[in-house]
Amino acid sequence: MQFYPTQVLFSPTTRCNLGCTHCAVIRTNKTLPIAPSLKFLVHCKKIGINEIGFTGGEPFLSFKFLLDITKKAISLNMFFDRISTNAVWWKTEKELKSKLSKLYKAGYDGSIYISLDAFHKQNLGKVKTFISAAVKIWNRQDLVAIAYVKGAKDKDTEKMIKTLAVLLNAKRKKWRNTYCCIQNDFLFVKLLRIELSPIGKAMNLLNPWNGKWFNEDYCSGPGNVFLVMPSGDIKPCCGYASDRKELTIGNIHSNSAKQILKNAAGNLFVSTIFKHGLSTIRKRLQDKGINFPGKTTNHCFFCDYVLSKIPRKSLTDTLI
């Protein structure tokens, strides 16, 4: 295994119209400039990255960025993964439909993931309006998915999703005893669960040491992406620990995509994770006599804990 990104994921702004209690994004006035991002996108294509996505903050609050990057990606024959949004960033229904139509005409044909749970506390009527408008404009039943945090406030989140299904005149469907979608004759909305990492403002929401060690996957879930932060910094993953400076592998203002790949190979922590896994770091630290408060199934929490709590020399000595 080694780090080799399959997707470039842009976070064009830290701005957001919501203030969720679990959010790890630090609010600043930084926004990702368009010109160097377009240049970096070309570099990504040259090294074989063909997929692109958008996250935030709230990416629709940097709408020109969305349009310009989308148009450039189309010209480069790249594929779209998803835009992550809270779906309630708009002030009027006219604004909503106008911007969604412009994005559609620009060529965006990926998915739209709505972050919806008890932490976001969106107006569900506005979420329903967003979904209905987007599905109609793209004429795609499966355009929208809902990504929700699990691990705290689950009952309140369940109530919100149930209410939204009623508003959409749809039903929740189960697969393997878990609700997997909201569906009617005109709509298919996947329900995606994301494990909460108690990092930053979410630290006191639940006990992360839940008694079992994570299954090693070499960060195949959040990893193997170029996450472009509003500052231009590049991270090798979009997980909850990505704000850690130790995970910075370059910056679009000073590095090409090819150079950032070299930087990643030279970053001992990053290269060890993708070649040998977080579990190898854990075992080596334990062999050095370092005891953890418990066991956790959460990769991102463990990564953040190691980078923030373990003495630097002890950590460095475990890296390969």
Side-chain angles (χ1 to χ4, degrees):
M1 298 287 292
Q2 65 176 351
F3 173 69
Y4 200 97
T6 59
Q7 179 184 142
V8 55
L9 183 60
F10 287 103
S11 177
T13 182
T14 60
R15 290 186 298 142
C16 186
N17 54 302
L18 300 180
C20 304
T21 56
H22 73 309
C23 184
V25 177
I26 299 172
R27 298 285 181 259
T28 69
N29 291 323
K30 289 182 179 178
T31 56
L32 191 57
I34 294 173
S37 299
L38 292 171
K39 183 179 179 181
F40 184 69
L41 193 63
V42 174
H43 290 170
C44 288
K45 178 67 177 182
K46 287 181 178 179
I47 65 169
I49 298 177
N50 290 307
E51 192 170 75
I52 177 175
F54 302 95
T55 186
E58 173 50 62
F60 276 95
L61 296 182
S62 285
F63 188 66
K64 190 176 188 305
F65 185 98
L66 281 185
L67 285 185
D68 288 357
I69 297 295
T70 291
K71 292 173 183 177
K72 187 64 175 180
I74 289 291
S75 72
L76 294 171
N77 199 30
M78 298 179 78
F79 301 97
F80 296 104
D81 177 24
R82 67 187 185 275
I83 297 174
S84 295
T85 178
N86 59 48
V88 295
W89 46 265
W90 47 280
K91 291 183 174 62
T92 66
E93 195 168 338
K94 181 179 179 180
E95 177 195 7
L96 169 66
K97 292 180 178 179
S98 173
K99 288 186 174 179
L100 290 180
S101 295
K102 288 178 181 178
L103 186 61
Y104 171 74
K105 291 175 182 177
Y108 183 80
D109 61 359
S111 297
I112 297 177
Y113 281 21
I114 298 175
S115 298
L116 185 145
D117 48 50
F119 296 103
H120 289 80
K121 300 179 181 178
Q122 292 106 315
N123 179 315
L124 294 180
K126 290 190 73 172
V127 176
K128 181 259 185 184
T129 299
F130 179 96
I131 293 173
S132 299
V135 169
K136 183 176 181 179
I137 288 168
W138 269 267
N139 193 28
R140 269 182 54 192
Q141 289 179 307
D142 64 342
L143 173 70
V144 174
I146 289 175
Y148 64 94
V149 168
K150 68 181 181 71
K153 299 189 177 182
D154 290 342
K155 289 184 179 179
D156 291 337
T157 295
E158 168 75 10
K159 184 178 179 180
M160 287 183 69
I161 294 174
K162 182 179 180 180
T163 300
L164 179 62
V166 172
L167 289 173
L168 290 166
N169 195 26
K171 294 182 178 180
R172 293 178 299 161
K173 299 294 181 68
K174 280 188 174 182
W175 184 70
R176 292 185 177 178
N177 296 319
T178 301
Y179 286 110
C180 63
C181 68
I182 295 174
Q183 186 177 12
N184 61 24
D185 291 340
F186 312 102
L187 190 68
F188 181 83
V189 178
K190 289 186 292 185
L191 299 176
L192 307 171
R193 296 185 300 170
I194 301 172
E195 187 174 4
L196 173 67
S197 278
I199 295 169
K201 291 188 292 184
M203 286 180 66
N204 298 319
L205 292 174
L206 76 166
N207 178 17
W209 305 103
N210 51 20
K212 183 179 178 181
W213 282 118
F214 51 84
N215 294 318
E216 184 57 65
D217 68 351
Y218 301 91
C219 294
S220 63
N224 279 317
V225 300
F226 276 157
L227 173 61
V228 187
M229 308 291 280
S231 63
D233 282 346
I234 306 290
K235 308 289 184 168
C237 76
C238 61
Y240 285 103
S242 60
D243 276 338
R244 290 290 168 190
K245 66 180 186 301
E246 293 88 350
L247 293 177
T248 300
I249 54 176
N251 189 288
I252 66 170
H253 298 292
S254 53
N255 302 122
S256 67
K258 187 175 181 179
Q259 180 59 53
I260 292 170
L261 277 182
K262 292 181 180 179
N263 294 348
N267 182 313
L268 277 179
F269 188 74
V270 171
S271 61
T272 298
I273 287 175
F274 286 96
K275 286 183 181 179
H276 305 284
L278 277 171
S279 58
T280 294
I281 295 174
R282 171 177 62 80
K283 291 172 183 176
R284 287 186 167 221
L285 286 170
Q286 289 175 318
D287 289 343
K288 290 177 67 67
I290 292 177
N291 296 315
F292 298 101
K295 299 178 180 180
T296 180
T297 57
N298 194 312
H299 296 75
C300 295
F301 169 76
F302 182 77
C303 182
D304 183 80
Y305 182 87
V306 166
L307 290 174
S308 61
K309 303 296 184 182
I310 302 301
R312 189 60 56 222
K313 186 178 186 308
S314 297
L315 177 58
T316 301
D317 289 346
T318 68
L319 302 178
I320 302 172

